[in-house]
Amino acid sequence: MLKSKTFVKKTRSGGVMKVVREHYLRDDIWCGSEVCTECKQDSAVLQRDACIESSLCPYPHYLVPDTNIVLRQIDVLEDPVIRNVIILQTVLQEVRHRSAPVYKRLKDIIHEQGRHFYTFTNEHHRETFIEREPGESANDRNDRAIRVAVKWYSQHLKTAESGSDGLKVVLLTNDQGNKLKAEENGLVVYKFDEYIKSLIGNPELVDCLALSNDDKNEVTSSKVLFPEHLPLSKVQAGIKSGSFLQGTFRASRDNYLEATVFVQGEGEDSTEVLIQGLQNLNRAVHQDVVAVQLLPKNQWVAPSSVVLQDDGAAKDDNVDEDEEEKVLTGPLTETARRATGKVVGIIKRNWRPFCGMLNVSQIKESTRHLFTPADRHIPRIRIETRQASTLAGQRIMVAIDGWPKDSRYPNGHFVRSLGGAGEKDTEEEVLLLEHDVPHQAFSQAVLSFLPKMPWSITPEDMAQRQDLRHLTVCSVDPPGCTDIDDALHYRELENGKLEVGVHIADVSHFIRPGNALDKEAANRGTTVYLCGKRIDMVPELLSSNLCSLRSNVERFAFSCIWELNHKAEILKTRFTKSVINSKASLTYAEAQMRIDDASKNDDITKSLRGLNKLAKILKRKRIENGALTLSSLEVRFHMDSETHDPIDLQTKELVETNSMVEEFMLLANISVAQKIYDEFPESALLRKHPAPPPSNYDILIKAAKSKNVMIHTDSAKALADSLDVAKVDGFQYFNTLLRILATRCMMQAVYFCSGMDSDFHHYGLASPIYTHFTSPIRRYADIIVHRLLAVAIGADSTYPDLMDKHKQSTLCNNLNYRHKMSQYAQRASVAFHTQLFFKTRGILNEEGFVLFVRKNAIIVLIPKFGLEGTVFFDSKDKASPNLVFDEEGPTLKVEQHTFHIFDQVKVTISLDDSNIQHQKIRMALTEPVIPGVSVPVPEAEPQAKKQKLDR
């Protein structure tokens, strides 16, 4: 049966277009129930004995949630207790339009076989499709469609199952109007919370209920604490007229009464508006998109230098705000004032489930408690739970439901427990969740696109590729590396010239554009390396097996091959898809030993020596062009093979072969960047590194000046040259410290699409163009670059998204975000393992260097452990010493001693685990000795441990 849908839509040019869509109605859409004998279905999803123990529904029943239940209560629906659910097409389509994350979560539940969620295509079923009536809103029509489908199911199953005690279909809705109409139609209908509270065996599910608007009123006081948010229409009009600004709300980590709103201007221009005080912050949460109104200039203020954590007992909703905010005000100079505003509306919430811990209420029998998120940018959240005593001391996840104008804190609900605080697995899970690292197991849909095993190279494959299996190819990687992206070869040609090849795993052969595997890799963006753990971007079959260029197996590669002369000048470059057979998988140290061992003269060693010789020439040329050699201390943990706890901590040593591999990877990336840009000037995916603004270098110049060393920062070359000659007699470590400090001055390198930007320059590498081609197993950007290069050389076909600069640019934004979060997650993992390491070490006394000087503290670097920490000179529990801070130096005078950057000091290092959620490495000064400030040197280690226990 054929129906037609007619609607009009506005075109880009402002015209109106009439659209007529054919809508087929069918009578062969099955109900999906085991009970049914009428439908000719192959396999039923909904069970015959659909029993969930409920005091409201003591009979077998199927559940039909409406759209708002799915959107608001997805946390409950994800619980394995909830089974045999009918998801109507009407609901699925509405959820898809209104929330992509909830839609994905719902689809994941539907694909889980044990859950028995069935999608019923009611919009195409002859008996359940309904037309929208004149004057009926789209929302009312959808509600009616849901009721009609529930009624059809009830009657359909009744005829299939004789007797009224049989199976029933229960509609779940929180919409009062919809509920009344359903009751009039004789349907079984309940409010969602009524139904969940009726589940006899699962009282804990009640905690996961998101608060409905009716419930929110009960939790709050009568006093209005915050101004009303303006409706979206007024906000948009205000932004258009220029009376409001739209920007991203960034809460302060150190002061819960302060935030900035980042307003993106035209091109590179952007401004920051300062927000101070509860009323002006007006219930915005970190990373929300908000509308702000600037205050009159006489009300502008300066950023506060006070550290304010919102901890301790819950602030009452009737708390005196002026009292709370008194600490913000300080002496104001005209120059310190910043553009200040207030939040007038929320354009887009950025709420996600937050990890943290429960502050159990002091009131006995209370079910209302405050939750403190691990992320200090997020306010505390008020939740209702009956399992507070169980959850105390656990890391839990909580979602925000809303923030009424008469509540001091947002209201939320418990989602799930992650495990005991301080436990390694729990803390790792928190770290991944808080840095938004996708780490769930790959779904069946993703895995279905992997090649079938056993896999082998076919004659058809060989016909499409160049056979390079005869070449002496080898890979050089860190120890324990199983995802080998790259391999190299070197040989002397008959014409006296040299040939070098960089062979990169051909991941794009296995991951085809647009399938589930490709979408998952694009979303993950990068492999994340934590201490002792790797979260893969692609499934292990590819990352550690079929794509990994392991030794003595045939593998597909994408090869970049150069012909060079002995001065390492490129004469010819070619790119080809190939088949290689690596002759050796070496570690950096093994490769170095081969190069250095004069008795070795096999093919692999000879080619390594040739590569190393060329790499040194390439590196010298790069540095002459102004490339920077910066430094940052990377640490390596030695893990206990049983407990996987860190037993030793060392900074990583770099050998020549690290540099050798790096030089050829850089050369390949530059060669490929030029090739894809020449072919696709509008849609090449490139990587740039912006030059830092001059003010970024202030601290570096001051630090060097304090040791009478001049640093020039007019260009990368000037900086590189001054770093090369920066030396201080008797202070061997000075140059490394200077390079570490220079690294901190740099901007973040980013991916971008060539058609959306004009500045391609890579500052750190001093290269006019650059991309990432050499690590497609662990970076999605490289997969796109492989696809572009394959199209450029005619080895693969193109597809629309690859040539769409807007889509490419959106992809780059996600890759930049994932890359940044992965770096933060890696740092957090190192910090956590450092804490584990020091947990059993008692108090250590180590040498360090002052890296930064602050108003009340010095930041010290301990080279032995690659560890940075802060020595505070003012503490709550004792009188502050006399402190004089000079910003020009910068120097800090503590009593009679003056600290400068790069001063050598000795500090004690110990773990402070008094706050289980935010454990810290504490440092205290032992040398220089300052009476009343420095601490005595701890005794030898066994006593130190004892001393820690006695405390």
Side-chain angles (χ1 to χ4, degrees), residues 834-846 865 907-912 920-922 938-949 951:
T834 307
Q835 290 169 7
L836 283 181
F837 173 75
F838 283 107
K839 201 171 195 168
T840 54
R841 295 294 182 288
I843 301 175
L844 302 184
N845 190 33
E846 295 293 343
F865 298 131
V907 294
T908 61
I909 311 172
S910 60
L911 178 69
D912 173 7
K920 290 187 193 81
I921 298 289
R922 284 253 180 247
E939 296 172 38
E941 195 159 307
Q943 282 87 353
K945 280 191 184 176
K946 225 188 251 162
Q947 186 184 344
K948 185 103 168 99
L949 293 170
R951 242 180 239 176

Side-chain angles (χ1 to χ4, degrees), residues 581-643:
N581 188 326
S582 170
K583 304 298 182 276
S585 305
L586 306 171
T587 65
Y588 290 119
E590 286 167 350
Q592 193 64 51
M593 275 153 60
R594 277 178 180 254
I595 290 169
D596 297 341
D597 186 347
S599 65
K600 282 200 182 300
N601 248 336
D602 55 284
D603 288 350
I604 293 170
T605 307
K606 280 198 278 196
S607 83
L608 284 171
R609 285 185 189 133
L611 288 166
N612 200 31
K613 194 173 171 187
L614 287 172
K616 285 178 178 173
I617 304 172
L618 288 169
K619 185 169 187 176
R620 195 182 66 240
K621 281 192 201 165
R622 251 186 348 103
I623 289 169
E624 280 167 10
N625 283 340
L628 295 171
T629 314
L630 298 175
S631 181
S632 62
L633 289 179
E634 284 193 59
V635 294
R636 161 154 293 157
F637 292 94
H638 293 271
M639 301 292 195
D640 184 302
S641 56
E642 296 286 318
T643 63

Side-chain angles (χ1 to χ4, degrees), residues 224-237:
V224 175
L225 298 176
F226 296 101
E228 188 84 65
H229 285 148
L230 295 180
L232 211 50
S233 56
K234 278 193 178 170
V235 165
Q236 284 165 339

